[in-house]
């Protein structure tokens, strides 16, 4: 596919979780792809918590796998402990999580990129975009070398003018131990992209030899956990994690150290994550709470370092040590690496299309934290979509756009480009209005055909999907026929489970797996609710199909206020539905748009 005037078809800047999925997607679709990263040894680095999945994030991992991505396979292979969260709640909000061996995970991902056909790995830094006639054509590296391509994907994470804070001390870095990218931000601004500033953080890393685990609550994994990937046969729980809590003494020390907190002294200007705040932020905001839960998670079987999940902080090192030693089990703990906060630039995501191509610069795609998100899973989900669409764009095919009723990935991207974000965006099940349709257990049913059509879903995973789908349909047909549909009726009762169905079916159930029986139970029990949600989707589809054909940017639409016109001209929604999602666009304004564009 390589154009003789280009070095590559696609260039991906960054090899974090978004960059990995983007570069693998483009290269697996047959395009000559390059991924540029500052440090080859940090491909797939888990800069924060050593885990994949979690509430709503587990849904994203299964969606990435159904599209043909790598994250699910990687965590199944390198995970240390696997659990399902929210098991006592409804099926829509149950989510999978795995504690990762972060060293093994990095190695797995580096090997995946190194062994991928059509993919070249370049250790360097991108300093500037090359834009000609309104389209991205390449990048200028810090060595002065120029690389040209038909599409550019930026997955820069926290590296754009990254600034690390530990107490009142700060220094330039993309994360601890890596250079910041200080010139690329200027290039983005010069090319008309609007930037903002965000902040995130991480915890201190603890010496496991100085933790008294006998005082802590042990939490084991689930041996019957269903792997994230269709390609995985089984998982192995190898270690436990441990639970402890902060207390009054912990909070007193933290409050006493706020005069040296960059967060509370005004040193940090970027907005931090509302749903994953630092411990000092939690103590200040939730004064009524007597304690906060802390999970102690080992980072690797080849390391003694532990990650105290829940204790993100940018307080001075001595304050970090003081408050840690008030916590049960950590009375004699030693810090191996201090916790820190990091500020970085991001691109306001309302400047993107649903394909993740920028509206103002053709062939330039953005994915991951550069779009204002937080989390490995959110980044990877955007990465695979950006990689697919960059490849489809070069092949002159229509982009892959996932609807809010089809995937959490669709919800994520739609939220970003229509609502924007002024704080690190994190996925939650509550963000999806059709979450009963978007369960973890049916991610393959929803998305595998898209992955296959794009050329990403290999024969192995596609074969597993087809087998599962056939099995699901067969058992639905069976329970419809047997004894006049008796078992279908029984399944609608809350006290009749998949296990009861297996017993009742006797020999008929032998050819069906527990996973299939569970899927059938959920489908039948919630069939009425699912039907109503699907009907709601169909009502909205008519708006999705009404295109907005924008004329001159200064053209006014009679009846719309200057404020509404300013928002519409800035975001340039492509459909009435997109316009309806924009903050501040009223139902009355949508009616005016409907009258105008239905006629035209």
């Amino acid at each position: 596919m390589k154009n003789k005037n280009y070095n590559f078809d696609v260039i991906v800047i960054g090899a974090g979780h978004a960059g990995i999925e983007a570069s693998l997607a483009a290269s697996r679709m047959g395009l000559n792809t390059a991924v540029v990263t500052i440090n080859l040894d940090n491909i797939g680095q888990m800069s924060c918590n050593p885990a994949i999945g979690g509430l709503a994030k587990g849904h994203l991992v299964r969606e990435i796998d159904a599209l043909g991505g790598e994250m699910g396979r990687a965590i199944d292979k390198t995970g240390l402990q696997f659990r399902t969260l929210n098991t006592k709640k409804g099926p829509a909000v149950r989510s999978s999580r795995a504690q990762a061996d972060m060293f093994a995970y990095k190695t797995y991902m580096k090997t995946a990129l190194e062994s991928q056909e059509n993919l070249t790995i370049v250790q360097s830094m991108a300093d500037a975009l090359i834009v000609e006639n309104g389209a991205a054509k390449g990048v200028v590296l810090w060595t002065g070398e120029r690389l040209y391509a038909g599409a550019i994907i930026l997955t820069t994470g926290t590296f754009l003018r990254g600034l690390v804070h530990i107490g009142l001390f700060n220094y330039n870095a993309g994360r601890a131990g890596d250079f910041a990218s200080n010139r690329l931000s200027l290039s983005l601004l010069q090319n008309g992209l609007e930037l903002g500033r965000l902040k995130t953080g991480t915890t201190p890393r603890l010496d496991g030899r100085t933790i008294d685990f006998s005082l802590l609550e042990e939490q084991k994994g689930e041996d019957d956990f269903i792997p994230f990937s269709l390609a995985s046969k089984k998982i192995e729980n190898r270690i436990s994690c441990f639970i402890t809590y902060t207390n009054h003494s912990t909070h007193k020390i933290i409050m006493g150290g706020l005069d040296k907190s960059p967060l509370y002294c005004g040193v940090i200007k970027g907005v931090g994550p509302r749903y994953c705040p630092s411990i000092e932020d939690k103590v200040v905001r939730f004064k009524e709470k007597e304690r906060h839960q802390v999970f102690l998670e080992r980072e690797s079987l080849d390391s003694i370092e532990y990650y105290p999940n829940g204790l993100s902080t940018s307080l001075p090192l001595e304050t970090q040590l003081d408050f840690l030693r008030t916590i049960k089990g950590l009375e004699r703990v030693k810090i191996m690496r201090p916790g820190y906060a990091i500020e970085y630039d991001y691109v306001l995501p309302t400047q993107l299309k649903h394909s993740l191509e920028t509206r103002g610069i053709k062939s330039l795609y953005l994915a991951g934290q550069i779009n204002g998100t937080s989390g490995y899973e959110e980044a990877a989900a955007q990465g695979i979509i950006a990689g697919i669409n960059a490849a489809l764009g070069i092949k002159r095919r229509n982009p892959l756009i996932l609807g809010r009723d089809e995937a959490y990935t669709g919800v994520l991207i739609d939220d970003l480009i229509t609502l924007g974000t002024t704080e690190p965006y994190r996925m939650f099940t509550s963000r999806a209005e059709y979450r009963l349709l978007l369960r973890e257990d049916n991610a393959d049913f929803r998305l595998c055909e898209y992955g296959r059509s794009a050329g990403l879903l290999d024969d192995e995973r596609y074969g597993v999907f087809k087998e599962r789908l056939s099995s699901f349909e067969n058992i639905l047909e069976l329970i419809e026929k047997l004894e006049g549909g008796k078992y279908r009726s029984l399944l609608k009762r809350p006290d009749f489970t998949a296990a009861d169905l297996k017993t009742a079916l006797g020999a008929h159930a032998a050819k069906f797996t527990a996973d299939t029986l569970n899927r059938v139970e959920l489908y039948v029990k919630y069939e009425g609710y699912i039907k109503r949600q699907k009907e709601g989707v169909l009502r909205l589809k008519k708006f999705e199909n009404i295109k907005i054909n924008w004329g001159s940017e200064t053209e006014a639409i009679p009846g719309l206020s200057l404020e509404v016109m300013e928002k519409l001209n800035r975001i340039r929604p492509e459909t009435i539905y997109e316009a309806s999602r924009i903050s501040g666009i009223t139902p009355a304004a949508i009616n005016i748009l409907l009258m105008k564009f239905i006629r035209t």
Side-chain angles (χ1 to χ4, degrees):
M1 287 291 296
K2 188 175 78 170
N3 186 306
K4 64 181 181 180
N5 297 317
Y6 295 154
N7 301 90
F8 302 96
D9 294 317
V10 177
I11 296 173
V12 179
I13 305 301
H17 304 281
I20 286 169
E21 298 294 351
S23 59
L24 288 175
S27 56
R28 287 170 176 171
M29 291 174 70
L31 299 189
N32 185 23
T33 305
V35 57
V36 179
T37 181
I38 293 173
N39 188 340
L40 295 183
D41 294 329
N42 285 338
I43 291 172
Q45 170 77 356
M46 290 183 161
S47 305
C48 195
N49 62 311
I52 294 292
L55 299 177
K57 294 170 179 281
H59 293 68
L60 289 173
V61 181
R62 295 187 187 276
E63 290 180 359
I64 292 163
D65 186 72
L67 289 170
E70 200 65 32
M71 179 173 270
R73 284 200 289 203
I75 189 59
D76 285 344
K77 187 75 172 178
T78 63
L80 297 176
Q81 188 212 67
F82 298 81
R83 297 182 62 246
T84 303
L85 310 180
N86 278 348
T87 54
K88 296 181 180 178
K89 297 185 178 180
V93 297
R94 294 172 195 162
S95 299
S96 303
R97 183 183 189 273
Q99 186 180 334
D101 186 318
M102 61 185 298
F103 294 166
Y105 189 92
K106 275 203 313 181
T107 301
Y108 177 99
M109 285 303 198
K110 185 169 186 285
T111 302
L113 265 60
E114 290 175 343
S115 58
Q116 178 59 47
E117 291 183 10
N118 305 318
L119 182 58
T120 301
I121 307 172
V122 179
Q123 179 166 292
S124 189
M125 184 189 297
D127 273 1
L129 286 176
I130 300 171
V131 178
E132 299 173 2
N133 300 319
K137 298 295 184 180
V139 294
V140 181
L141 304 182
W142 63 347
T143 56
E145 182 183 5
R146 290 171 173 249
L147 298 179
Y148 291 88
I152 309 297
I153 305 175
L154 299 184
T155 65
T156 52
T158 59
F159 280 68
L160 292 181
R161 292 199 309 125
L163 187 64
V164 166
H165 297 268
I166 304 173
L168 300 182
F169 168 71
N170 57 61
Y171 63 95
N172 291 320
R175 59 176 163 236
D178 278 324
F179 294 113
S181 177
N182 290 325
R183 296 180 182 174
L184 188 55
S185 287
L186 177 60
S187 179
L188 297 179
L189 288 167
Q190 289 172 337
N191 283 287
L193 291 173
E194 188 178 353
L195 306 185
R197 194 83 169 149
L198 294 177
K199 165 258 175 186
T200 189
T202 189
T203 75
R205 292 345 193 240
L206 311 180
D207 185 337
R209 297 168 300 185
T210 62
I211 299 172
D212 188 348
F213 293 101
S214 67
L215 301 177
L216 306 180
E217 177 187 340
E218 182 180 8
Q219 186 180 69
K220 296 183 178 180
E222 298 171 7
D223 291 329
D224 59 350
F225 182 92
I226 298 172
F228 280 102
S229 177
L230 293 166
S232 303
K233 305 302 181 187
K234 62 178 181 178
I235 55 89
E236 180 183 358
N237 285 295
R238 288 177 273 189
I239 61 173
S240 299
C241 72
F242 296 85
I243 301 173
T244 187
Y245 299 88
T246 63
N247 53 58
H248 174 73
S249 298
T250 316
H251 301 174
K252 184 176 180 181
I253 290 173
I254 290 170
M255 293 294 289
L258 294 182
D259 61 331
K260 295 180 181 178
S261 164
L263 192 62
Y264 285 92
C265 290
V267 176
I268 292 177
K269 305 299 182 184
V271 180
R274 181 190 313 184
Y275 302 106
C276 187
S278 64
I279 186 61
E280 51 265 41
D281 208 17
K282 285 193 280 191
V283 169
V284 170
R285 286 166 54 190
F286 307 111
K287 291 186 174 68
E288 71 284 357
K289 289 203 70 169
E290 296 182 357
R291 65 181 192 173
H292 295 279
Q293 194 172 49
V294 179
F295 292 86
L296 296 172
E297 300 179 315
R298 190 170 176 176
E299 293 198 330
S300 171
L301 293 179
D302 297 320
S303 172
I304 60 169
E305 289 185 70
Y306 273 77
Y307 181 95
N309 198 333
L311 293 181
S312 172
T313 182
S314 58
L315 288 166
L317 178 58
E318 61 271 19
T319 309
Q320 293 184 33
L321 186 61
D322 286 345
F323 81 67
L324 280 166
R325 288 185 169 177
T326 65
I327 297 172
K328 188 176 181 179
L330 306 182
E331 291 85 355
R332 291 183 294 278
V333 78
K334 292 181 180 178
I335 294 176
M336 298 184 72
R337 309 178 200 230
Y340 62 86
I342 183 167
E343 286 185 280
Y344 55 95
D345 291 343
Y346 78 109
V347 174
L348 273 57
T350 50
Q351 299 167 98
L352 303 174
K353 301 177 183 179
H354 274 93
S355 63
L356 296 180
E357 184 183 25
T358 59
R359 297 180 189 272
I361 305 174
K362 281 182 61 64
S363 304
L364 176 65
Y365 298 80
L366 310 183
Q369 285 181 280
I370 192 173
N371 290 338
T373 59
S374 68
Y376 311 144
E377 303 82 3
E378 289 89 341
Q382 293 171 73
I384 193 169
I385 295 298
I388 289 171
N389 285 331
L392 291 175
I394 289 174
K395 294 181 178 185
R396 300 188 183 280
R397 290 170 55 189
N398 291 332
L400 173 62
I401 309 297
L402 297 176
R404 297 181 68 90
D405 60 305
E406 293 180 297
Y408 273 91
T409 303
V411 174
L412 165 66
I413 293 172
D414 188 57
D415 279 353
L416 290 174
I417 73 162
T418 58
L419 302 178
T421 188
T422 55
E423 61 186 38
Y425 177 104
R426 178 180 177 181
M427 180 51 69
F428 289 102
T429 54
S430 58
R431 296 191 188 274
E433 59 270 44
Y434 305 117
R435 56 184 173 271
L436 196 54
L437 303 180
L438 307 181
R439 306 181 309 278
E440 266 199 4
D441 68 273
N442 69 357
D444 51 350
F445 289 6
R446 291 184 276 117
L447 300 178
C448 276
E449 292 294 357
Y450 286 124
R452 188 67 169 181
S453 177
L456 286 184
L457 200 66
D458 55 66
D459 291 343
E460 180 185 13
R461 278 187 279 185
Y462 189 66
V464 172
F465 153 65
K466 294 295 283 186
E467 185 179 335
R468 288 182 178 181
L469 180 59
S470 176
S471 184
F472 176 80
E473 291 172 343
N474 287 342
I475 196 170
L476 275 180
E477 184 179 352
L478 177 66
I479 62 173
E480 191 75 53
K481 290 179 178 178
L482 284 177
E483 298 187 39
K486 168 186 173 182
Y487 298 117
R488 208 178 203 286
S489 299
L490 285 172
L491 272 177
K492 290 184 179 294
R493 290 167 34 183
D495 59 340
F496 193 83
T497 67
D500 297 321
L501 178 63
K502 182 177 181 179
T503 301
L505 290 176
H508 288 291
K511 59 182 178 180
F512 301 115
T513 66
D515 177 43
T516 301
L517 290 166
N518 285 331
R519 287 185 190 227
V520 168
E521 179 198 352
L522 294 179
Y523 177 80
V524 173
K525 270 189 171 55
Y526 294 93
E527 190 173 20
Y529 298 101
I530 291 170
K531 182 180 178 181
R532 282 199 289 275
Q533 287 203 347
K534 287 182 175 179
E535 289 170 349
V537 171
L538 290 174
R539 284 195 295 270
L540 278 177
K541 287 290 183 184
K542 59 183 180 182
F543 293 114
E544 291 183 13
N545 295 327
I546 301 174
K547 300 287 185 181
I548 297 179
N549 300 310
W550 292 102
S552 167
E553 187 169 324
T554 58
E555 180 185 357
I557 296 176
L560 295 183
S561 68
L562 290 176
E563 178 188 1
V564 168
M565 280 305 305
E566 187 276 328
K567 287 184 177 180
L568 291 173
N569 276 319
R570 177 167 50 85
I571 297 174
R572 310 288 272 189
E574 296 179 336
T575 65
I576 296 292
Y577 170 72
E578 280 186 38
S580 73
R581 294 276 302 146
I582 298 171
S583 177
I585 304 299
T586 64
I590 294 299
N591 283 332
I592 292 171
L593 290 173
L594 280 170
M595 286 188 289
K596 175 177 175 60
F597 290 108
I598 286 177
R599 286 200 302 268
T600 59

